[in-house]
Amino acid sequence: MQRLFLLFFPFLFLATGLSAQDYVTENELPKRLQKRFDAAKKQYVAQQADVAAVTVKKILEREPRFIDGWLFYADLLLQEGQYQGSEEGFQKAVDMAPAYAPLAYYWLATAEMQVGQFAEAEKHLTQFLGFADVDGKYKVRAERLLEDAEFAS
């Protein structure tokens, strides 16, 4: 019996590892980092997006698998016109969990359009439009942006 366990133990480990979530959400952060993230959101509301971005960046240095942090950070950079950094942040988020936040594909494509990555924008807009639960407002915007990306590339 012990031999049988030793034979199947590696497969058990592999199955567990493959099904494990490879990202951390806001609710799964340690309390100390959750407080910092709450502070960053308050900084944003107080019109201090640059300060909020620094706060979130420090959190991401401590917990690079924090998907909500990457989404918030990328959004802050997008709003500040820092398109390259925004593109990188959204890309990290969609790489971590492709279906976690479908709207991230739209914002990723928006940043890519700003830095001239039209083919990548086309790809990400097509992925975004492929999700079943796309909000009507963003669907129309994405279709227009896709036309622009196709024309530009």
Side-chain angles (χ1 to χ4, degrees):
M1 184 67 165
Q2 185 179 18
R3 246 175 129 192
L4 190 59
F5 176 75
L6 290 175
L7 236 170
F8 286 104
F9 179 75
F11 296 108
L12 179 66
F13 178 77
L14 277 175
T16 305
L18 290 176
S19 67
Q21 179 176 298
D22 200 25
Y23 59 89
V24 175
T25 65
E26 182 176 355
N27 295 331
E28 298 166 330
L29 272 180
K31 292 290 180 201
R32 199 174 95 226
L33 295 180
Q34 279 183 8
K35 288 180 182 178
R36 286 186 185 172
F37 191 60
D38 288 341
K41 290 187 284 186
K42 289 176 183 171
Q43 291 163 344
Y44 171 72
V45 170
Q47 305 293 319
Q48 298 175 327
D50 54 339
V51 177
V54 170
T55 302
V56 175
K57 183 67 174 167
K58 288 179 183 177
I59 295 169
L60 292 170
E61 289 168 1
R62 302 261 332 203
E63 181 48 83
R65 297 175 310 127
F66 179 34
I67 193 165
D68 296 318
W70 283 111
L71 292 168
F72 186 58
Y73 181 68
D75 187 37
L76 289 170
L77 295 180
L78 185 65
Q79 291 179 39
E80 294 292 311
Q82 297 179 33
Y83 303 115
Q84 188 64 45
S86 176
E87 183 268 333
E88 292 167 6
F90 283 122
Q91 187 65 59
K92 282 186 185 277
V94 299
D95 287 346
M96 270 187 241
Y100 181 76
L103 195 54
Y105 287 95
Y106 172 80
W107 293 116
L108 171 58
T110 301
E112 289 168 337
M113 290 290 288
Q114 293 295 323
V115 295
Q117 296 178 357
F118 305 116
E120 286 297 306
E122 276 185 68
K123 179 179 111 180
H124 292 124
L125 288 165
T126 302
Q127 286 176 290
F128 171 68
L129 291 168
F131 285 98
D133 57 347
V134 173
D135 179 86
K137 172 177 77 171
Y138 285 104
K139 182 177 182 179
V140 171
R141 289 180 184 176
E143 288 168 342
R144 286 185 194 147
L145 198 57
L146 182 57
E147 288 175 11
D148 292 345
E150 289 169 344
F151 179 77
S153 62

